[in-house]
């Protein structure tokens, strides 16, 4: 193989939709409708249809989406919000930023997601909300989580930044998109996300009309009538140029998810063939009866403390890999003295120490995947 291997290939993907993207961007520039132009409303409506009819409020990025969602719940200092310890920092950062207490709980070591049992262990009389994160593209088991939330009067804010397009399957067989099951759902259009723009962007999903109106107000300086501010808000907008790009890419989202699924199946078949009894690593666990997987990441768990050595070996061969995430949030300096963890978070630690994500994107070819897997096999064959 020649040519550089990338974790993601945004350029290759762009080339296939270049004409439409360029036309969309040029239209915005020609019209100079840079702020809240028609493309933003078009995107909001198209995304709402894709998400099964839920209200969509667009905003500046996924972290803002989470912050605005929390602001809309009207929580007070001392209120606790449960988050998984094994996730990206945003999910917990916004809780601390608003003066609330993040309560970090452990995750399921197979799915990397929080379960209702993890949430139960973090529950106190001060718990007001939970932020389940659908990590790496697979849904948390939401039905028991929603039942538990109803029983204890908790708000659920889904962090859907890594799983847009995935579907959860309820016990009675009906399906719902991730991001539309909780009271509020949040997502990010960061370029490398499954539905990414060419800069920053985010959105909030909400089915409750009143709450959704409040969210829209908060994102727009706390006003619904211009220059009349009834609550404290912020300025968080999706750029019109980014909306124009997203309008093109949204049409391809299912095709993109399929390409990722195909690539994931090819990795799993090849790697299981090599390490059939799981001596060296675990391939990703798929909760197929409960969730479709949109493979934001293809993440192995490397055994016997060899993760870092494997990563270095691959890098020497020009094969990139990434550690999402090397440090559980309860061990991050920023949250010392702010967050609460009730118990040892063994699985989060074990995940942080063993995970390795391989290149995963819509343009992967089997030839490149073969080269990546050859690299992995050579490493273990030399042991
Ligand atoms: C990317 C991401 C975010 C934040 O999105 P930004 O748009 O970068 O602010 C939040 N949560 C998770 C799980 C993410 O992966």
């Amino acid at each position: 193989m020649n040519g550089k291997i990338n974790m993601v290939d945004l350029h290759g993907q762009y080339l296939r939709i270049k004409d439409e993207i360029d036309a969309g961007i040029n239209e915005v520039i020609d019209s100079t409708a840079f702020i809240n132009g028609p493309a933003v409303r078009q995107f909001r409506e198209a995304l709402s249809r894709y998400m099964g009819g839920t209200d969509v409020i667009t905003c500046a990025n996924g972290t803002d989406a989470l912050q605005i969602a929390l602001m809309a719940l009207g929580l007070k200092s001392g209120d606790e919000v449960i988050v998984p310890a094994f996730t990206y920092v945003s999910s917990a950062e916004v809780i601390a930023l608003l003066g609330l207490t993040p309560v970090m709980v452990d995750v399921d070591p197979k799915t990397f997601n929080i379960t209702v049992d993890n949430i139960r262990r973090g529950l106190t009389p001060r718990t007001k909300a939970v932020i389940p994160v659908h990590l790496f593209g697979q849904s948390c088991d939401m039905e028991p989580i929603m039942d538990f939330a109803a029983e204890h009067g908790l708000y659920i804010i889904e962090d859907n930044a890594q799983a847009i397009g995935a579907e959860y399957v309820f016990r009675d067989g009906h399906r719902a998109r991730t991001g539309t099951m909780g009271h509020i759902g949040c997502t990010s259009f960061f370029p490398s996300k499954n539905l990414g723009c060419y800069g920053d962007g985010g959105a909030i999903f909400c089915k409750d009309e009143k709450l959704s109106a409040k969210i829209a107000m908060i994102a727009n300086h706390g006003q619904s009538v211009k220059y009349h501010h009834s609550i404290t808000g912020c300025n968080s907008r999706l750029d019109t140029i980014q909306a124009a790009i997203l309008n093109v890419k949204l049409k391809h989202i299912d095709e993109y998810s399929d390409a990722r699924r195909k690539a994931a199946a090819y990795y799993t078949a090849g790697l299981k063939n090599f390490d059939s009894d799981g001596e060296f690593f675990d391939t990703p666990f798929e909760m197929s009866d409960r969730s479709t997987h949109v493979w934001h990441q293809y993440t192995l768990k490397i055994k016997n403390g060899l993760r870092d050595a494997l990563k270095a070996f691959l890098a020497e061969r020009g094969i990139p890999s990434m550690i999402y995430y090397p440090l559980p949030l309860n061990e991050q300096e920023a949250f010392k003295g702010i967050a609460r963890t009730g118990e040892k978070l063994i699985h989060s630690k074990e995940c942080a120490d063993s995970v390795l994500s391989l290149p995963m994107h819509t343009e992967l070819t089997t030839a490149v995947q073969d080269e990546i897997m050859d690299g992995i096999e050579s490493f273990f064959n030399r042991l």
Side-chain angles (χ1 to χ4, degrees):
M1 272 302 298
N2 41 34
K4 193 168 171 297
I5 302 180
N6 296 305
M7 282 302 288
V8 293
D9 180 7
L10 296 175
H11 191 248
Q13 190 190 59
Y14 163 66
L15 291 179
R16 293 197 287 132
I17 49 174
K18 184 178 187 309
D19 291 348
E20 262 187 292
I21 293 274
D22 293 358
I25 294 173
N26 284 327
E27 201 179 308
V28 178
I29 298 173
D30 280 337
S31 69
T32 66
F34 298 120
I35 303 294
N36 289 333
V40 177
R41 188 179 42 78
Q42 279 161 24
F43 175 63
R44 231 172 26 228
E45 289 170 1
L47 185 59
S48 167
R49 281 193 296 277
Y50 182 76
M51 298 297 283
T54 180
D55 265 3
V56 175
I57 300 102
T58 49
C59 64
N61 57 67
T63 310
D64 272 13
L66 289 163
Q67 181 187 324
I68 293 163
L70 272 178
M71 286 169 80
L73 301 182
L75 307 183
K76 298 180 307 291
S77 165
D79 287 346
E80 296 181 350
V81 182
I82 294 176
V83 273
F86 187 66
T87 178
Y88 185 57
V89 67
S90 297
S91 331
E93 181 176 44
V94 292
I95 305 169
L97 186 71
L98 294 174
L100 309 167
T101 304
V103 174
M104 287 153 186
V105 299
D106 216 353
V107 295
D108 179 291
K110 277 163 58 189
T111 61
F112 306 111
N113 283 334
I114 55 169
T115 63
V116 72
D117 290 328
N118 300 129
I119 295 169
R120 189 177 288 115
R121 285 197 283 273
L123 187 77
T124 76
R126 291 177 302 280
T127 310
K128 292 288 154 45
V130 183
I131 305 184
V133 183
H134 306 304
L135 206 69
F136 302 151
Q138 185 166 242
S139 182
C140 297
D141 190 0
M142 286 303 286
E143 189 168 6
I145 292 177
M146 291 313 296
D147 290 347
F148 184 82
E151 193 184 318
H152 295 274
L154 309 175
Y155 286 109
I156 300 292
I157 301 176
E158 294 174 76
D159 183 342
N160 196 33
Q162 300 194 2
I164 196 158
E167 276 186 323
Y168 177 77
V169 185
F170 286 82
R171 266 71 180 168
D172 69 2
H174 89 276
R175 291 163 165 259
R177 289 226 186 266
T178 54
T180 65
M181 293 173 276
H183 302 91
I184 308 180
C186 296
T187 203
S188 161
F189 306 120
F190 187 84
S192 62
K193 302 281 156 114
N194 287 34
L195 178 62
C197 58
Y198 293 172
D200 277 305
I204 303 160
F205 309 113
C206 184
K207 287 174 296 190
D208 178 305
E209 237 172 78
K210 253 180 88 182
L211 192 54
S212 144
K214 188 170 179 195
I215 290 167
M217 267 176 86
I218 292 172
N220 182 28
H221 298 290
Q223 66 187 346
S224 48
V225 178
K226 208 168 168 67
Y227 305 126
H228 292 73
H229 309 272
S230 40
I231 48 178
T232 306
C234 56
N235 174 24
S236 190
R237 292 187 284 247
L238 178 69
D239 224 78
T240 310
I241 288 182
Q242 300 306 337
I245 290 161
L246 288 164
N247 273 326
V248 176
K249 290 187 67 174
L250 180 60
K251 291 189 259 175
H252 298 278
I253 184 171
D254 287 336
E255 186 190 304
Y256 291 159
S257 297
D258 284 343
R260 288 171 178 275
R261 267 183 214 118
K262 232 171 116 186
Y266 192 74
Y267 271 141
T268 297
L271 292 167
K272 275 204 166 142
N273 186 44
F274 169 68
D275 187 27
S276 53
D277 44 9
E279 185 189 346
F280 303 128
F281 49 74
D282 286 330
T283 53
F285 177 80
E286 293 179 58
M287 206 178 55
S288 346
D289 54 336
R290 291 270 79 87
S291 172
T292 60
H293 204 318
V294 292
W295 300 101
H296 178 59
Q297 298 297 341
Y298 186 89
T299 305
L300 298 172
K301 286 175 82 175
I302 311 297
K303 298 184 178 175
N304 311 311
L306 290 170
R307 190 265 314 271
D308 294 347
L310 170 62
K311 187 179 195 307
F313 180 87
L314 294 174
E316 235 166 73
R317 292 183 154 217
I319 300 168
S321 60
M322 293 291 281
I323 299 168
Y324 304 117
Y325 297 92
L327 202 58
L329 296 186
N330 56 304
E331 292 183 25
Q332 300 282 358
E333 195 66 41
F335 299 119
K336 294 248 163 81
I338 297 174
R340 197 173 63 70
T341 52
E343 52 173 357
K344 277 211 138 169
L345 309 182
I346 319 166
H347 298 306
S348 300
K349 182 71 182 158
E350 184 260 323
C351 289
D353 289 342
S354 66
V355 288
L356 192 66
S357 297
L358 303 183
M360 172 52 77
H361 53 80
T362 58
E363 314 303 306
L364 262 184
T365 61
T366 53
V368 167
Q369 289 188 276
D370 285 339
E371 193 184 338
I372 295 163
M373 291 192 282
D374 277 351
I376 295 172
E377 292 176 18
S378 311
F379 174 79
F380 288 108
N381 282 332
R382 289 178 350 149
L383 295 180

